[in-house]
Amino acid sequence: MAADGTTGRVTRRRVHTRANLLGAAFSVFAAKGFGHVSIEEVCEAAGYSRGAFYSNFSSLDELFFALYQERADLIAEQVSGALALDGPDLDVPAAVDRVTDVLLLDRDWLLVKTDFLVHAARDPEVAHSLLEHRARLRQAIADRLGRARGHTALPAVLVDIDDAAHAVVAAYDGVTTQLLLDRDLEHARVWLKQLLTALLTDGSGTPDHTKH
């Protein structure tokens, strides 16, 4: 029993240490950029030794990858949840409001995600992980639009639901790039809401039920 209890305490402590390292790394990466951060800086920010770091991660690359995966999974879950609140008849403006609130609140995440994008562009294996995350986001959007089929019509210019999901993600990419430069969160949220509403409706904010 003592051994089991000790193992449980060690496991909980390790989980706690790993979470603290990830949280500290997120702040440091957002402030300085992935390529300008050392293991020592992450350890100092988290209040741990290099030994604690290496008991959880083999390298800074592994930590960065784990951090991205953790945050990307959270965002995908939040988007899915934001899109799941309506009934079959999709309330586009309300859904857009919820999604933009989820996607645009954290500028630090956008900084880390952009670093990861640049890193992935030079590493095919990392790129594969990033593409999987983007596919999950598009699938969450496509699934919601699919449930609304027959209740809420898409503009004819969008050939199908997958095209609509790609367009939504592309609009988000464009708006967040501008947000990183001008830091105008209020304008970015308004702009994204306008773009997504125009993409997914006749542009008036009300789904056009006459289109088939």
Side-chain angles (χ1 to χ4, degrees), residues 1-191:
M1 294 295 291
D4 289 344
T6 301
T7 300
R9 287 195 297 274
V10 170
T11 300
R12 287 194 295 273
R13 184 163 61 245
R14 181 166 182 170
V15 169
H16 182 69
T17 299
R18 180 183 174 89
N20 285 344
L21 284 166
L22 287 169
F26 181 79
S27 298
V28 176
F29 287 144
K32 300 188 68 175
F34 171 65
H36 302 283
V37 172
S38 67
I39 290 175
E40 288 77 10
E41 287 174 303
V42 173
C43 291
E44 182 179 355
Y48 293 120
S49 66
R50 286 175 64 93
F53 179 93
Y54 282 115
S55 70
N56 288 276
F57 304 101
S58 63
S59 66
L60 206 57
D61 275 10
E62 183 183 339
L63 182 149
F64 189 52
F65 186 82
L67 174 64
Y68 180 85
Q69 285 291 101
E70 177 186 76
R71 296 287 173 141
D73 289 345
L74 174 62
I75 292 294
E77 290 172 6
Q78 289 175 327
V79 170
S80 296
L83 290 170
L85 296 179
D86 292 324
D89 188 13
L90 179 63
D91 182 345
V92 172
V96 166
D97 281 349
R98 292 194 299 270
V99 169
T100 53
D101 285 344
V102 168
L103 287 175
L104 276 176
L105 285 178
D106 193 349
R107 186 173 179 274
D108 283 349
W109 160 248
L110 297 178
L111 287 167
V112 172
K113 188 184 79 164
T114 301
D115 271 348
F116 196 82
L117 173 62
V118 174
H119 184 48
R122 296 186 173 94
D123 186 326
E125 290 187 8
V126 179
H128 179 71
S129 174
L130 180 58
L131 289 170
E132 284 185 340
H133 165 60
R134 291 173 68 83
R136 287 199 302 274
L137 281 178
R138 288 197 304 270
Q139 191 59 52
I141 295 165
D143 287 347
R144 183 61 191 90
L145 294 175
R147 291 197 302 275
R149 179 178 286 174
H151 299 271
T152 305
L154 293 173
V157 69
L158 297 173
V159 176
D160 56 29
I161 288 171
D162 286 339
D163 277 357
H166 274 83
V168 168
V169 174
Y172 169 64
D173 286 342
V175 171
T176 53
T177 297
Q178 184 68 27
L179 172 60
L180 285 173
L181 298 175
D182 64 21
R183 300 173 181 244
D184 190 344
L185 178 59
E186 182 178 356
H187 180 259
R189 183 174 286 118
V190 170
W191 186 24

